[in-house]
Structures are given as structure tokens and as C-alpha cells.
Amino acid sequence: YSTTPPPPSQYRAPPDMSRGEGSGDGRTARGNPTAVLLGRFPQPRIGSPRRAGGERPADDSVRHRYLNRLGYTPLRFQRPDSPRFMIGDSYNPSLTPVQTQRYPSYGSMGSLATEEKEVIDRTHPLGAGGMASSTFNLLGATVGAGALALPYAFCICGIFAGTLMMILAALLCIYTIRLLIKCRNMTKLCSYEDLAQHCFGRRFARFVEANILIFCFGTCVAYLIAIADIVVPIAKEVLHASAFSELGSKPVVIGVLAIGLLTPLSMVESVNELIFANMFGIFVFVALVSSVFYCAFLSPRISDPPPLSDAIFGTGSTWGIMSAVPMICYSFCCHINVFSIYTELQRPSIRRMSTVVCASCIVAVSLYMILAVSGMYQFGYNTNEDILTNLGHNSPAMAITQLLMAANIGLSFPMNVYPSRFTLEMLLFSDAKPSAMRRYLMTLSFVGLAAIVAIAVPNITTVFSILGGSSAVLVSFVLPAAFYLHLTTGSLVSTQNIKVSILLAMAIIFGVVTTGSSIALAAFPELAKS
């Protein structure tokens, strides 16, 4: 595909209201496949300022470079000097660079030639966009450091309530992703932010972007705490008899790791440079689950298991349970990645995407259950907020597992810095020329602020509880239901919408209650005993 903007003659004129092209309901007008993108927002004036003599200046701004790399114009960045993929005289917003390279020749809008369908049918499932690779990508977006607090959450809630919440969270994850795919098919939009803008306007899209920014920032804070939980005991053991013993403290370790290691690693200009971290992360997580299972059932016990009643029904107070449940919700927050995975899926459909989501959630629930039950059984009442601090590093296998987990978290760290930096850069410097110095300063400021918060936060569960009750619930449950209700016809209590309306109401109540409980418990730790 070409990154050169098409000539002004190929840009579509503003919608003709007399033909229904700019209908206020935002739905596609008859005979106009692009009205969904053009109907609700005023279109900019065609063309751009010219220099003296009629020469059009070259656009080398941050926005233009990003759109050239992305390959299509998201709704929130539409302007006449942006590159677009055209099909004849119509713009196809769902066409990504991967699909353009895979299917270079299109006929009419939304249809493929016979030979192209045969090419799709012969594509290997492990190739780009195959069922297996899509499942693998979604699983990589789901499992991660959030699972480190699951044994502690199960110790508080008990196996009975913890298992019910785990299965319920997985089922809701499958259901809300299905809602997102339905909304995507109705609007033909390619990102979560574009869908938010199409449904509720540009200001609400900014709110969603801010929420995603907070989620990424909180995840970076949790990652720093998790790495410190691994490195601090090793540093103290190595330095305890030397004059540099103070260098093994948590603030020093977080500061050195953040500025000396994670900041340079996060300076990458493109997230594709770290795409291998996804595969590495899944294998390391499986190794962690295997190590905890081995410690629990195949090695000598460290402590006595809790009584059967405590194991089944938990040992936490009401406040503790209300802060533990969001940790489980946080472990299933993958909805931001759904659009890119679905767009690159071979023969994308709701049925095929549902198969991908179900397979991913089944594997994730299986790994989570093994990790949570094994950790709780092995360490009993001594289960810590971060299971890595229970494993220790006395045996070579445990030491290797912890080091691999630290490396995995370190490689995953830039995956959260990059979208955060991009959001801030597009918000503040979208029309400025790309600057390496600005990128370095923004990365350093973001990571440095995350390090300061990580030093101040007592443990990893505080971060997961607050994020799980606020950002994760909003992105995973509240907004998918709100998008679907906005795009469909009928009242909120109609047969078609009643289930989604109930989900929306319950998700809002759950998010408010659990977020308030988590903040109260972080401010007043004594509530955990009440």
C-alpha cells in the first residue's frame, strides 16, 4: 500500500443532507457506505494552506507520520491531508495494512473476488490472522502480571466464591467482547476510541482516552512493584554485609530499575519493535504456574494448609472481599485489543471471533485457577499480596522462574508506556514535527512519575484493586453495553436490550462500590480486620 496521500479529487465531499447522508442517528445511509464516518461530525475544508507560488507544503507532523504507519485514518484524526485506503471512490475504514497486503485487489465494497476467497480458505490457521494465532494474541493480551495477586484474592474470598467470580468474569468477558464486535460490524470502525467518539462525541472519546491512559499508568506502577518484589530480596542478600546495604532498599531499587533500565527500553518509536514480548510472556506465565503447582503438590510443604472451611469460604472481611473481587476483573481486561485482533482475523465474523474469545478465556481461566488454588494451598494464611514473594529463590528452579518473570514484566512495561506517550503526544503536539528529544523527555517523565507512585504504594494489590474496580470495569463491562444500547433500536427494557441494560446498571454499581472499597481499604488498612 502507498503512504502517499491521494490527490484532492479523491477526497469525499461533505455529506448531502438532502439525500440522508448526514443523518443525525449516525447510521449508514442507503447507497452511501461511508456515511457512518461522515454523518455526525463536521468535515474540514478540502485542501491545506499553500505556499507562495501554489506549492503544497509537505506534512511531517506527528499525526501525519502516525497515520502513514497505521495505514488508515481513524475517526478522531480525520482531516483532508491524511492518507486513506480507497476502494474505487469509497473509503473502507476497516481496511488495515495487514489486510491490504493480504488481499490487494478488491471488487465492490465488502466483497471479494472468487480467487481471493480461495486464498483466504487456504491460509494456515497458525499464520497471521489465523484462529490459532488470534487466540494466542488475545491470550497474551489477557494473562499477565495481574495474575500475581490471584492466590491472595482466593485466600480472602475462598475457593467457592473465587471460582464463581472467575467463571462469571470470564463469561462476561466473552459476552461484552461479542457486544463490541456487533458494534464494530454496525459502524465499521477500527478502534475503541473511534467507537466512543461515534456514539457519544469527541469529548467522551477524550474521556475514554484518559481512562486508558490511567489504566496504562497504573499497570506500569504495578509492574514496577512486581519487579521490585523480585529484585529487592536478592539485592539485600547480596549487599547485606557490605557498605552498600542501603542500595538494596525498595526506593533505590525501583529508582535504578525505572531510570536505568525501563526508561531506555521504553524509548522505542514503534511498539512493533517489542512484538516478540507477547509470545515470551505467555511461556513465562505458564512456567510460573507450573512452578507454583510443583511447590504446592510435588515438593515439601512450607506451611500447613488452611482448614477446609477457610479454604472454601475464605478468611477475609467484607472490606477485604470487596477489594479482592476487582483483582479478578482486572485479570480479564483485554477489550482494547479486540478491534485489532478482529480486523486481522481471517474471514472475520462474530462466530469465528467468539470461538477465539472462548478458547482464550478457557485457557486463561485454567491457568488462573491452577495458580490461585496451588498458591493458596501451599502457603495458606501466609499467602502474600504478590505470589512471587512467597516463592523465594532458594532453589535454582524458583530463582530462574522469578528472573524470567522479571524479564517478562520488563519487556511488557514498554507496551504500556508506548500508548500512553502516544496519547499525550497526539493531544499536546499532534501538529508539531517529530522530535526524539521530546519523546525521550516524555518517556522519562512518565516512567519517573510511575516510579514515585510505586515507591509510595504499599503493595501490588492496592493498584490492582483500584484499577480493577474503576478502569477495568469501565472498559470491559460498562462501555461495551453503553455502545450497544446506543447503536441499537428499541427501548432499554425491550426484549432485545433488557439483558444489556441490566449488565450496564450492575456494572456501574459494581464499579462504584468496589472502587470506593478499595480506596477506603488503602487509606485505612485497619478496615481489613473489621
Side-chain angles (χ1 to χ4, degrees):
Y1 62 96
S2 172
T3 57
T4 304
S9 60
Q10 292 190 21
Y11 290 121
R12 194 179 186 282
D16 185 353
M17 299 299 293
S18 64
R19 295 187 299 169
E21 291 183 1
S23 55
D25 60 357
R27 295 181 175 82
T28 304
R30 183 181 302 275
N32 178 18
T34 59
V36 66
L37 287 180
L38 302 173
R40 306 190 98 191
F41 308 102
Q43 298 303 300
R45 181 176 57 87
I46 301 300
S48 59
R50 295 177 181 267
R51 296 191 182 101
E55 179 185 357
R56 188 182 302 278
D59 190 348
D60 192 29
S61 64
V62 173
R63 179 192 286 110
H64 191 76
R65 177 174 292 190
Y66 166 72
L67 294 179
N68 279 338
R69 184 186 301 125
L70 183 63
Y72 70 96
T73 307
L75 182 62
R76 63 193 187 281
F77 296 144
Q78 280 190 21
R79 47 186 288 177
D81 55 350
S82 299
R84 301 183 177 201
F85 287 127
M86 307 295 295
I87 300 178
D89 294 328
S90 301
Y91 167 56
N92 181 6
S94 64
L95 196 58
T96 66
V98 173
Q99 288 182 313
T100 304
Q101 295 170 3
R102 189 185 304 153
Y103 322 126
S105 169
Y106 273 75
S108 59
M109 180 76 172
S111 63
L112 290 171
T114 303
E115 59 271 21
E116 291 169 329
K117 292 183 179 179
E118 293 174 356
V119 170
I120 299 175
D121 292 336
R122 292 197 302 267
T123 306
H124 196 277
L126 292 177
M131 294 289 287
S133 61
S134 298
T135 302
F136 197 84
N137 289 334
L138 187 59
L139 180 64
T142 304
V143 300
L148 299 177
L150 289 180
Y152 178 75
F154 266 57
C155 186
I156 294 176
C157 297
I159 296 177
F160 179 75
T163 303
L164 288 180
M165 288 301 304
M166 184 81 69
I167 295 175
L168 179 61
L171 293 176
L172 289 177
C173 177
I174 296 172
Y175 181 70
T176 51
I177 288 179
R178 188 179 179 87
L179 293 180
L180 283 178
I181 298 304
K182 288 182 178 180
C183 295
R184 192 265 181 207
N185 287 344
M186 285 188 280
T187 61
K188 304 300 181 184
L189 297 175
C190 299
S191 72
Y192 203 102
E193 297 88 339
D194 281 356
L195 183 58
Q197 177 167 327
H198 172 73
C199 292
F200 302 113
R202 188 176 297 273
R203 290 185 178 179
F204 190 82
R206 294 294 187 188
F207 168 74
V208 173
E209 289 181 351
N211 179 77
I212 296 175
L213 178 65
I214 294 173
F215 183 86
C216 293
F217 178 81
T219 302
C220 290
V221 172
Y223 282 0
L224 284 171
I225 298 174
I227 297 177
D229 289 341
I230 300 173
V231 177
V232 167
I234 300 176
K236 287 184 177 180
E237 185 172 335
V238 173
L239 301 173
H240 75 282
S242 66
F244 304 99
S245 59
E246 293 298 326
L247 297 179
S249 62
K250 178 181 175 181
V252 174
V253 168
I254 291 180
V256 171
L257 289 174
I259 305 301
L261 179 62
L262 297 179
T263 297
L265 192 63
S266 303
M267 294 292 186
V268 294
E269 187 176 2
S270 173
V271 74
N272 291 331
E273 299 175 25
L274 295 170
I275 199 65
F276 66 91
N278 185 36
M279 182 180 297
F280 179 72
I282 294 178
F283 286 119
V284 170
F285 186 77
V286 172
L288 172 65
V289 173
S290 303
S291 300
V292 175
F293 181 82
Y294 175 82
C295 289
F297 300 104
L298 301 177
S299 66
R301 294 196 54 78
I302 297 177
S303 60
D304 295 332
L308 183 61
S309 60
D310 289 345
I312 294 178
F313 299 106
T315 60
S317 63
T318 302
W319 286 96
I321 293 175
M322 294 303 297
S323 65
V325 172
M327 302 178 198
I328 300 176
C329 296
Y330 180 89
S331 301
F332 288 94
C333 187
C334 59
H335 295 63
I336 300 299
N337 306 86
V338 166
F339 286 84
S340 60
I341 294 174
Y342 177 78
T343 302
E344 297 182 2
L345 182 66
Q346 299 167 13
R347 297 180 310 234
S349 65
I350 295 178
R351 181 185 61 82
R352 288 173 61 81
M353 189 63 187
S354 297
T355 302
V356 169
V357 176
C358 289
S360 175
C361 286
I362 289 174
V363 175
V365 169
S366 302
L367 293 175
Y368 287 163
M369 289 297 300
I370 295 173
L371 177 65
V373 175
S374 299
M376 186 187 66
Y377 178 79
Q378 170 69 358
F379 302 108
Y381 295 118
N382 298 320
T383 305
N384 294 331
E385 290 86 354
D386 184 355
I387 190 63
L388 294 177
T389 60
N390 285 114
L391 294 178
H393 51 275
N394 297 324
S395 66
M398 292 298 102
I400 292 175
T401 301
Q402 292 207 42
L403 291 176
L404 287 176
M405 194 66 191
N408 174 41
I409 296 173
L411 291 174
S412 301
F413 191 88
M415 307 291 283
N416 291 276
V417 175
Y418 176 81
S420 304
R421 186 182 66 222
F422 163 74
T423 299
L424 292 174
E425 196 167 19
M426 292 301 299
L427 180 64
L428 303 175
F429 308 103
S430 61
D431 293 322
K433 290 186 176 181
S435 170
M437 179 59 65
R438 182 175 65 243
R439 186 173 75 249
Y440 296 155
L441 292 177
M442 292 180 68
T443 304
L444 181 62
S445 302
F446 186 86
V447 177
L449 183 59
I452 294 174
V453 177
I455 294 173
V457 173
N459 52 63
I460 199 172
T461 56
T462 301
V463 180
F464 289 148
S465 296
I466 296 177
L467 288 180
S470 56
S471 297
V473 170
L474 180 66
V475 171
S476 301
F477 306 134
V478 174
L479 292 183
F483 294 154
Y484 181 81
L485 291 174
H486 178 83
L487 293 172
T488 55
T489 58
S491 64
L492 298 179
V493 294
S494 63
T495 305
Q496 178 186 5
N497 297 333
I498 184 63
K499 293 188 297 184
V500 184
S501 300
I502 294 175
L503 171 63
L504 177 61
M506 296 302 295
I508 293 175
I509 296 173
F510 175 82
V512 172
V513 172
T514 54
T515 302
S517 301
S518 301
I519 295 176
L521 194 61
F524 306 100
E526 61 273 9
L527 292 176
K529 301 178 181 179
S530 61

